[in-house]
Amino acid sequence: MSAVIENHHDDHHHGPAKGLTRWLYTTNHKDIGTLYLWFSFAMFLIGGAMALVIRAELFQPGMQIVEPEFYNQMITLHGLIMIFGGVMPAFVGLANWLVPMMIGAPDMALPRMNNLSFWILPFAFFILLSSLFMDGGAPNFGWTFYAPLSTTYAPPSVTFFIFSVHIMGASSIMGAINVVVTIMNMRAPGVTLMKMPLFVWSWLITAYLLIAVMPVLAGAVTMMLMDIHFGTSFFNAAGGGDPVLFQHIFWFFGHPEVYIMILPAFGIVSHIIETFSRKQLFGYSSMVWAMLSIAILSFVVWAHHMFTVGLPLAAELFFMWATMLIAVPTGVKVFNWVATMFKGSLTFETPMLFAIAFVVLFTIGGLSGLMLAIVPADFQYHDTYFVVAHFHYVLVPGAIFSIMAAVYYWIPKWSGNMYDERLGKLHFWLSFIGVNVTFFPQHFIGLAGMPRRYPDYALQFADWNMVSSVGAFLFGVSQILFLFIVVKTVMGGKKATDQVWEGARGLEWTVASPAPYHTFTTPPKVD
Amino acid sequence: MNPEAKKTLRRLVIAVPLMFAFGFALVPLYNVFCEVTGINGKVFQSDNAEKLVIEDGRPLGLQFISTNNENMPWTFKPSEDVMTISTGKYYTATFYVKNTTNKTMTAQAVPSVAPSNAAAHLKKLECFCFEQQELKPGEDALLPVRLLVSDELPENIENIILSYTIFDVTEYDDEAVAQHMHEEHHEMEH
Ligand code: HEM
Ligand SMILES: [Cu+2]
């Protein structure tokens, strides 16, 4: 490893290499951050196109556009691509760009592994997407791939799906290890743990979650592989296995996974609200403790996804109360954000708009989560559109809004140019309206009993489905505007100052804009 | 890289295979957990028959349900749908099976008990579900299950449902698979 660092020392005074090989061989955290972000944007567009296929089919009752088999492939790939290709790589990209600059480190601790963990991702998704063209079609068992649907009854492409999940897992684990080693060992003198910016804290905790649960996911798909090809019976009742066991293993991974997708968002939003309130963040240490307790609790709530499998009463009660307990630290965070804004000198630039929308809409998602945590209520709501509404509220105006907020907030630092504020605000309002028109009605049709994952529905759900589809197309089209704004900013625009935002604090705002290729080659002074 | 960082790295790299193994360890842990707590509606063979008090208990409805797994063509049904029993006494119930196909097949029945908190109190001394059944073409059999419901059954339970799902496990038996492939060559193609 030391060789890597030495190599790296050599080119301190050079800029980036020229041409395509710059991106292929780069070990620079900023380059790799950029690669991750563009990759995730591409996946966001592909996954989004699939979502529009789904919403187009659901625009009216009856089968109009696609075959039911293809519909199932769309819901499966949409979920997998958005989670593993969209949200997670976007956060890894942000970590690459920001963590070293925020802690005053010259780069990530393991630059070559960093390159590897990015470059295996395109292969994983190439394999996953190519399954669309295989005999029997792409995986069609939902992103949760419950056995035996994903084993005994799966299309042959399931083997490729398993392989691609292995690669995604390896990529995430390497990324997470890199983040932990960087944060634990490369902080500039004076950056103590309790002085770390919250985004760094949120990623430190996220990385530990990833290291804990991604191997369990790898284990689950490996067991599937063995059931399918080597005659084992982990999940096959005929051979003494148990399908419910699959769900336990999957959700042991799956619930921490949903927090993997929201903790970095908590970090981002804290920075943005602090900056545009021109006040110190309210309750820094309670924010850290809240994230830590959310992360720990996330390991003991998994069975709230399984209330209807026939758990014994004691287990239903335990998982219900444990789940509700998570609302306490989550509530602390929401309180702190609001308290930070309280009596602040607020301005509403695009990142702040996205951050405020995050606080409000994520809270709505948290509240529907609380409703789902109530066992008898969940018997009714489980596997309906109410669940779909819940997790889209926490993921789209939650995780994805935070990513967009982060892009607007830091892009002046990355590119040296200010984005077009008018277009940014337009993008925000279109997205905000689109997201709510799409997902709010799904609460109603869910409570009225419309099941999820079907390509058709009963007539009484027609009106709200049509509204939801209109919203989805509005949201989808607005993202082309986002692409345009980002490209325009990278190409040129008003030059950004070094501090960029009046109220911005933190080491990343002390370097020039655009951030030089190498920053903090000598550690900064922090008091 | 400084030694501290190497140490962090080493710890994390070790954690990964450990968590991978933990995923697999969940399998036996799950089974042991279900057995100890008697949840999951799974019934395990009881070995403490002599310790069970046999006296007059309270009356109880015992209902039987049989289900064929999707690809299982056999006839499979309880001889009686309902029995009125009393707790603390042994009873024998039988299930009728018939291999309606023209090939030798092996079957495995998987039991489940509802409500699930009754499972721990349903003791089976003998059950066809403890082993596999092989039947020749057209052959039939009466399969016995000998059971007792203990006195400790929660008061509020007045009916217990014992259900069996029968699976075709011919393919899981190596010898049978070999024979099967020999006889039914074309069958294997789908
Ligand atoms: C206050 C916090 C939360 C509570 C109490 C909560 C509770 C729940 C419950 C009980 C379910 C299961 C519903 C069912 O299937 O019947 C569920 C599903 C789900 N939640 Fe949450 N949740 C919370 C926050 C989050 C967050 C922050 C995320 C992600 C960023 C998230 C993502 C999901 C997803 C993806 C599902 C559906 C998984 C599936 O079946 O496909 N939740 N939530
Ligand atoms: Cu969950």
Side-chain angles (χ1 to χ4, degrees):
Chain A
M1 279 310 156
S2 55
V4 176
I5 305 263
E6 275 157 29
N7 271 344
H8 182 72
H9 270 273
D10 284 343
D11 43 52
H12 269 170
H13 305 289
H14 304 282
K18 297 270 174 295
L20 251 158
T21 48
R22 162 181 177 185
W23 300 105
L24 211 52
Y25 298 136
T26 184
T27 55
N28 178 285
H29 72 104
K30 300 186 182 80
D31 281 354
I32 294 175
T34 305
L35 285 172
Y36 265 113
L37 286 169
W38 278 114
F39 176 79
S40 96
F41 198 80
M43 288 298 129
F44 178 55
L45 292 183
I46 295 175
M50 291 173 171
L52 294 185
V53 172
I54 297 169
R55 280 319 317 174
E57 178 55 56
L58 296 176
F59 184 70
Q60 282 181 357
M63 297 304 301
Q64 346 273 344
I65 299 171
V66 296
E67 297 297 315
E69 293 78 14
F70 188 69
Y71 180 89
N72 290 346
Q73 297 170 29
M74 286 294 105
I75 59 163
T76 306
L77 290 181
H78 164 70
L80 290 168
I81 287 175
M82 287 306 203
I83 291 171
F84 293 102
V87 175
M88 291 170 70
F91 282 139
V92 182
L94 291 170
N96 260 290
W97 255 104
L98 298 171
V99 166
M101 290 206 295
M102 285 179 161
I103 61 174
D107 204 314
M108 297 294 277
L110 306 152
R112 281 208 228 172
M113 191 169 86
N114 207 6
N115 174 291
L116 182 65
S117 65
F118 172 75
W119 276 111
I120 59 179
L121 264 191
F123 290 98
F125 285 90
F126 176 77
I127 293 169
L128 186 64
L129 283 168
S130 65
S131 66
L132 274 169
F133 305 101
M134 292 176 190
D135 252 7
N140 56 4
F141 30 68
W143 83 275
T144 52
F145 51 98
Y146 281 5
L149 194 57
S150 61
T151 51
T152 316
Y153 304 101
S157 62
V158 65
T159 307
F160 291 90
F161 155 81
I162 291 172
F163 191 48
S164 74
V165 171
H166 274 142
I167 302 176
M168 293 169 204
S171 166
S172 301
I173 291 170
M174 286 194 282
I177 289 180
N178 216 339
V179 168
V180 175
V181 181
T182 307
I183 296 175
M184 296 310 277
N185 299 285
M186 295 180 64
R187 298 194 306 275
V191 185
T192 56
L193 280 180
M194 288 313 273
K195 272 191 189 158
M196 281 191 329
L198 279 176
F199 180 71
V200 179
W201 255 115
S202 70
W203 243 108
L204 181 64
I205 299 168
T206 303
Y208 274 114
L209 285 181
L210 278 166
I211 295 166
V213 301
M214 289 311 278
V216 176
L217 174 70
V221 291
T222 307
M223 289 178 216
M224 279 169 59
L225 189 76
M226 291 164 76
D227 271 11
I228 295 168
H229 293 293
F230 307 125
T232 56
S233 295
F234 285 103
F235 309 127
N236 188 331
D242 194 329
V244 175
L245 172 65
F246 177 88
Q247 295 190 28
H248 281 293
I249 299 176
F250 179 83
W251 288 114
F252 184 84
F253 147 80
H255 187 81
E257 168 69 18
V258 307
Y259 282 98
I260 287 166
M261 293 190 285
I262 205 68
L263 287 178
F266 289 169
I268 291 165
V269 166
S270 304
H271 288 293
I272 293 175
I273 289 185
E274 182 177 35
T275 295
F276 294 98
S277 302
R278 293 169 183 75
K279 263 175 70 187
Q280 199 172 2
L281 186 80
F282 184 86
Y284 170 89
S285 57
S286 67
M287 286 296 210
V288 173
W289 287 111
M291 285 194 285
L292 276 172
S293 39
I294 289 174
I296 291 164
L297 281 173
S298 77
F299 284 102
V300 293
V301 299
W302 77 89
H304 65 218
H305 297 273
M306 304 169 55
F307 283 148
T308 57
V309 302
L311 298 177
L313 186 65
E316 306 260 32
L317 288 171
F318 171 81
F319 286 107
M320 173 166 93
W321 288 115
T323 302
M324 292 191 166
L325 208 55
I326 293 201
V328 176
T330 312
V332 168
K333 302 201 72 89
V334 173
F335 179 88
N336 287 350
W337 289 321
V338 175
T340 307
M341 287 188 274
F342 185 66
K343 290 194 168 168
S345 333
L346 303 186
T347 51
F348 300 96
E349 286 85 346
T350 310
M352 184 62 163
L353 290 176
F354 273 104
I356 294 174
F358 172 96
V359 175
V360 176
L361 301 182
F362 172 78
T363 304
I364 293 179
L367 290 177
S368 58
L370 275 178
M371 289 170 71
L372 291 167
I374 302 167
V375 173
D378 186 65
F379 281 15
Q380 174 76 12
Y381 307 153
H382 179 64
D383 267 349
T384 67
Y385 260 79
F386 191 77
V387 178
V388 178
H390 158 65
F391 68 74
H392 281 92
Y393 259 87
V394 283
L395 284 171
V396 185
I400 292 180
F401 269 25
S402 83
I403 293 165
M404 290 173 176
V407 169
Y408 284 111
Y409 184 57
W410 278 292
I411 206 172
K413 178 57 62 189
W414 300 338
S415 69
N417 305 319
M418 296 303 285
Y419 60 89
D420 184 328
E421 191 61 61
R422 257 185 39 248
L423 288 181
K425 287 204 165 104
L426 179 65
H427 171 229
F428 167 76
W429 284 109
L430 290 176
S431 298
F432 180 82
I433 295 168
V435 108
N436 285 297
V437 173
T438 310
F439 296 115
F440 210 80
Q442 296 186 359
H443 291 110
F444 310 147
I445 49 180
L447 292 180
M450 177 169 157
R452 63 192 278 211
R453 292 179 165 155
Y454 286 87
D456 192 7
Y457 49 84
L459 291 179
Q460 70 265 33
F461 306 124
D463 293 349
W464 286 122
N465 267 296
M466 190 176 279
V467 172
S468 181
S469 291
V470 170
F473 277 86
L474 174 65
F475 183 80
V477 172
S478 326
Q479 303 324 313
I480 308 294
L481 177 61
F482 184 40
L483 177 64
F484 174 79
I485 295 170
V486 170
V487 172
K488 185 165 172 258
T489 312
V490 174
M491 308 286 277
K494 207 180 101 208
K495 293 285 158 254
T497 60
D498 290 355
Q499 198 195 2
V500 182
W501 310 108
E502 187 191 23
R505 301 153 198 262
L507 287 174
E508 79 270 32
W509 307 110
T510 62
V511 304
S513 295
Y517 200 54
H518 296 289
T519 37
F520 299 125
T521 43
T522 46
K525 278 218 161 43
V526 183
D527 32 75
Chain B
M1 176 182 285
N2 69 39
E4 278 300 308
K6 271 204 176 125
K7 215 162 96 193
T8 318
L9 177 63
R10 200 172 315 123
R11 285 205 195 123
L12 297 174
V13 169
I14 292 170
V16 172
L18 283 183
M19 284 313 292
F20 186 74
F22 174 76
F24 279 83
L26 284 175
V27 179
L29 279 176
Y30 174 77
N31 288 330
V32 169
F33 187 77
C34 291
E35 192 164 355
V36 170
T37 54
I39 57 180
N40 193 22
K42 270 199 178 143
V43 195
F44 298 89
Q45 184 159 21
S46 52
D47 45 3
N48 55 345
E50 70 282 5
K51 282 188 226 138
L52 299 167
V53 216
I54 302 185
E55 57 180 44
D56 273 354
R58 65 184 174 95
L60 195 68
L62 182 59
Q63 201 177 332
F64 300 102
I65 295 179
S66 63
T67 313
N68 283 45
N69 181 243
E70 188 181 37
N71 301 316
M72 185 53 164
W74 289 15
T75 305
F76 176 51
K77 55 173 197 275
S79 308
E80 285 171 284
D81 288 334
V82 197
M83 280 169 80
T84 307
I85 63 168
S86 107
T87 56
K89 277 200 179 131
Y90 275 105
Y91 295 88
T92 303
T94 53
F95 280 70
Y96 174 77
V97 277
K98 179 172 174 148
N99 181 352
T100 50
T101 69
N102 56 7
K103 52 186 189 248
T104 302
M105 286 175 67
T106 312
Q108 168 74 57
V110 176
S112 176
V113 175
S116 59
N117 54 339
H121 306 284
L122 194 137
K123 320 272 181 190
K124 289 179 180 172
L125 264 196
E126 199 188 314
C127 177
F128 56 95
C129 57
F130 296 150
E131 56 223 23
Q132 301 187 341
Q133 280 74 41
E134 190 184 284
L135 293 183
K136 298 197 174 54
E139 192 183 351
D140 62 358
L142 267 186
L143 306 176
V145 46
R146 189 159 167 71
L147 53 80
L148 164 149
V149 177
S150 99
D151 274 328
E152 282 136 45
L153 185 76
E155 284 291 323
N156 61 337
I157 300 179
E158 286 165 6
N159 278 292
I160 297 184
I161 301 171
L162 176 56
S163 87
Y164 288 96
T165 307
I166 196 165
F167 290 83
D168 172 12
V169 294
T170 317
E171 309 263 324
Y172 287 82
D173 180 335
D174 289 347
E175 275 177 46
V177 172
Q179 184 195 357
H180 194 80
M181 279 168 60
H182 215 69
E183 290 166 358
E184 303 280 340
H185 200 244
H186 60 279
E187 269 278 321
M188 298 302 290
E189 267 154 33
H190 61 260

